[in-house]
């Protein structure tokens, strides 16, 4: 059965092509919204029966806000509707207060006092993933979304159309495919071939316990200042981050641990665990940190932290097939910037496709080549930088160790690269470079 591709536009016919987006997470949905706003025809194919997100909180940095605005101001409005900032007005620009969460050491004795503070214009802001996605979905016309469509493969037809085949036996056609299908991307396989090392996500030898606890209980355990505002507890080989979500009613806890053991089952990114294991993993931490961890539920999940850092993807596109978001550059979460970079991708891709001279299928390869050239270096830098930062928090980074001054300097320098961008200019510059590529695209 061939699915008819709906034109997700308001009837503007300048674009004589149709895009298939595979995957409806943050990358796929923000791209869909950005294309819809620009009257670029598309359809979206999601394997799940509905749009949805698992997991707890996600937060954004100032670059992500710029990217949201570039995609569609409605994306930013959606974020504002559901985000929770630090509760204290004096901490509105604080990203995290860093404290020594570990046992008393000769160098670092104090347990809950701020070692240093990292700030930015936006401050800390947490959204519940499911709530954010529910707001984004409102901006996507329902007729362009197709559910229960798990992509199996992409083949080019004699007439040049790309055929997407799904595991329910159905298929669809498009002029180009953008894979927003996450870290295990099938579209990445279609670009790189079945045996490429970059198909396999790499275990970062870190895992995380995640918990959501009522704010009242958190305040009793760690006091108002630490419970109501974002805090990073550093320690040897592990760290704990907390920030308020759900309008301050809930505290989001993520406790990371480094291990030398490989992850047992690479087909699954989570496994069940018990609170005793968490407490055992953090036994070197100080009493306040442990009081916090004791608030988690007795039955927990451990999340393995995988990324695409060991074998970075050598290209984001082949012909008229491209990858975006985690499919292209999944990162560990230590910068809290992975989703923000997905939104940057969406803004850039939408702006390139909106280029006046991009009107037909023949131009799409040049669009994807430009996307690859503009996005690969920045996004793959994030993957490596995030690994480095995770090690800084855990006193494991070469040349830094437990020197708080050096840790602070590294964070500020690296966060600056993430946050201090001009998204509109990045897109405008990229469009100019696309203009130079377009004649080649026409020949090719
Ligand atoms: C513990 C943790 C904490 C994080 N915290 C932050 C944070 O604070 N800030 C931040 O910016 N980032 C954070 N990130 C990163 C962020 O979550 C990701 O970068 C982002 O969610 C990736 O979005 P995506 O849409 O690219 O991929 P995904 O969210 O993985 O979505 C992929 C979609 O594609 C669908 N799909 C997959 N395969 C197929 C197929 N074959 N056919 C059809 N559909 C398919 C899936 O069902 C899914 O809906 C964190 C990540 C982790 C693991």
């Amino acid at each position: 059965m061939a699915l008819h591709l709906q034109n997700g536009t308001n009837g503007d016919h300048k674009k004589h092509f149709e895009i298939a987006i595979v995957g409806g997470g943050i990358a796929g949905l923000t791209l869909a919204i950005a294309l819809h706003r620009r009257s670029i025809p598309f359809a979206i194919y999601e394997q799940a029966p509905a749009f949805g997100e698992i997991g707890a909180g996600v937060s954004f940095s100032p670059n992500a806000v710029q990217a949201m605005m570039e995609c569609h101001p409605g994306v930013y409005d959606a974020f504002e509707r559901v985000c929770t900032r630090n509760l204290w007005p004096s901490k509105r620009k604080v990203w995290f207060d860093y404290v020594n969460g570990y046992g008393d050491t000769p160098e670092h004795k104090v347990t809950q006092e701020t070692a240093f503070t990292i700030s930015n214009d936006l401050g800390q802001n947490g959204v519940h993933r499911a709530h954010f996605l529910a707001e984004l979905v409102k901006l996507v016309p329902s007729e362009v979304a197709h559910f229960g469509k798990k992509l199996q493969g992409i083949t080019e037809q004699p007439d040049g159309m790309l055929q997407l085949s799904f595991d329910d036996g159905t298929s669809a056609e498009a002029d180009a495919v953008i894979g927003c299908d996450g870290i295990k991307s099938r579209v990445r396989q279609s670009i790189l071939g079945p045996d490429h090392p970059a198909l396999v996500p790499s275990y970062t030898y870190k895992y995380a316990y995640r918990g959501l606890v009522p704010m009242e209980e958190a305040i009793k355990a760690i006091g108002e200042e630490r419970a109501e505002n974002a805090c990073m507890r550093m320690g040897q080989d592990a760290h704990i981050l907390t920030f308020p979500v759900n309008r301050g009613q809930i505290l989001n806890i993520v406790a990371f641990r480094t291990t030398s053991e490989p992850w047992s089952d690479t087909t699954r990114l989570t496994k069940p665990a018990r609170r005793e294991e968490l407490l055992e993993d953090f036994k070197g931490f100080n009493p306040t940190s442990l009081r916090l961890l004791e608030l988690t539920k007795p039955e927990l999940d451990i999340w393995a932290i995988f990324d695409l850092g060991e074998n970075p993807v050598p290209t984001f596109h082949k012909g008229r097939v491209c990858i975006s978001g985690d499919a292209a550059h999944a990162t560990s979460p230590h910068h809290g910037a992975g989703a923000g970079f997905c939104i940057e991708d969406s803004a850039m891709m939408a702006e390139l496709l909106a280029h006046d001279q991009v009107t037909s299928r023949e131009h799409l390869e040049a669009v994807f080549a430009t996307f690859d050239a503009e996005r690969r270096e920045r996004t793959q830098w994030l993957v490596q930088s995030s690994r480095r930062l995770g090690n800084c928090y855990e006193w494991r980074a070469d040349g830094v160790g437990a020197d708080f001054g050096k840790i602070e300097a590294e964070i500020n320098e690296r966060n600056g690269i993430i946050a201090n961008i001009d998204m509109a200019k990045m897109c405008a510059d990229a469009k100019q470079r696309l203009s130079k590529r377009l004649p080649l695209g026409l020949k090719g």
Side-chain angles (χ1 to χ4, degrees), residues 155-187:
T155 44
E156 188 166 343
Q157 301 295 97
D159 65 358
M161 289 298 276
L162 300 178
Q163 185 178 65
L164 297 87
S165 41
F166 303 106
D167 74 346
D168 63 355
T170 62
S171 62
E173 288 192 339
D175 294 282
V177 178
I178 303 175
C180 300
D181 49 347
I183 189 167
K184 294 184 188 163
S185 171
R186 192 79 191 186
V187 180

Side-chain angles (χ1 to χ4, degrees), residues 23 26-27 46-47 58-59 129 149 151 181 210 326 333 336-340:
I26 290 175
E46 166 56 49
Q47 65 181 1
V58 62
S59 68
R129 283 167 188 266
K149 299 293 165 197
L151 182 81
D181 49 347
R210 306 215 282 184
D326 271 20

Side-chain angles (χ1 to χ4, degrees), residues 377-394:
E377 187 180 336
R378 177 170 164 81
T379 54
Q380 291 183 341
W381 169 85
L382 178 71
V383 179
Q384 300 304 332
S385 186
S386 178
R387 283 184 171 211
R388 169 88 182 167
L389 226 56
N391 283 332
C392 283
Y393 302 159
E394 299 181 0

Side-chain angles (χ1 to χ4, degrees), residues 59-246:
S59 68
F60 293 100
S61 41
N63 57 303
V65 166
Q66 287 190 45
M68 289 175 194
M69 294 298 287
E70 203 64 31
C71 285
H72 186 314
V75 176
Y76 175 67
D77 294 341
F79 159 73
E80 278 292 343
R81 274 198 294 278
V82 295
C83 102
T84 302
R85 295 200 159 82
N86 285 330
L87 301 192
W88 289 19
S90 59
K91 293 198 188 261
R92 279 296 151 94
K93 295 205 167 180
V94 170
W95 187 54
F96 281 107
D97 280 329
Y98 285 72
V99 305
N100 173 18
Y102 207 59
D104 287 350
T105 64
E107 304 94 340
H108 310 302
K109 277 220 167 300
V110 195
T111 54
Q112 281 232 91
E113 273 184 21
T114 305
F116 58 89
T117 296
I118 302 289
S119 304
N120 66 35
D121 285 348
L122 192 61
Q124 186 55 248
N125 54 85
V127 304
H128 192 293
R129 283 167 188 266
H131 298 171
F132 183 47
L133 223 72
E135 291 296 319
L136 293 183
V137 167
K138 293 178 190 164
L139 298 168
V140 181
S142 58
E143 65 273 18
V144 298
H146 305 279
F147 297 106
K149 299 293 165 197
K150 181 171 186 180
L151 182 81
Q152 286 295 340
I154 304 166
T155 44
E156 188 166 343
Q157 301 295 97
D159 65 358
M161 289 298 276
L162 300 178
Q163 185 178 65
L164 297 87
S165 41
F166 303 106
D167 74 346
D168 63 355
T170 62
S171 62
E173 288 192 339
D175 294 282
V177 178
I178 303 175
C180 300
D181 49 347
I183 189 167
K184 294 184 188 163
S185 171
R186 192 79 191 186
V187 180
R188 188 164 78 244
Q189 181 177 329
S190 153
I191 291 172
L192 300 177
D195 303 315
H196 198 284
L199 294 185
V200 187
S202 358
Y203 186 40
T204 62
Y205 288 86
K206 281 187 175 27
Y207 55 81
Y209 301 85
R210 306 215 282 184
L212 294 169
V213 305
M215 184 56 80
E216 278 174 24
E217 288 181 28
I219 290 173
K220 271 190 219 145
I222 58 171
E224 281 184 3
E225 179 178 7
R226 293 300 171 223
E228 294 184 340
N229 305 290
C231 178
M232 186 85 76
R233 288 163 201 274
M234 301 177 284
Q236 187 62 58
D237 301 325
H239 68 282
I240 308 164
L241 65 85
T242 49
F243 56 82
V245 294
N246 281 23

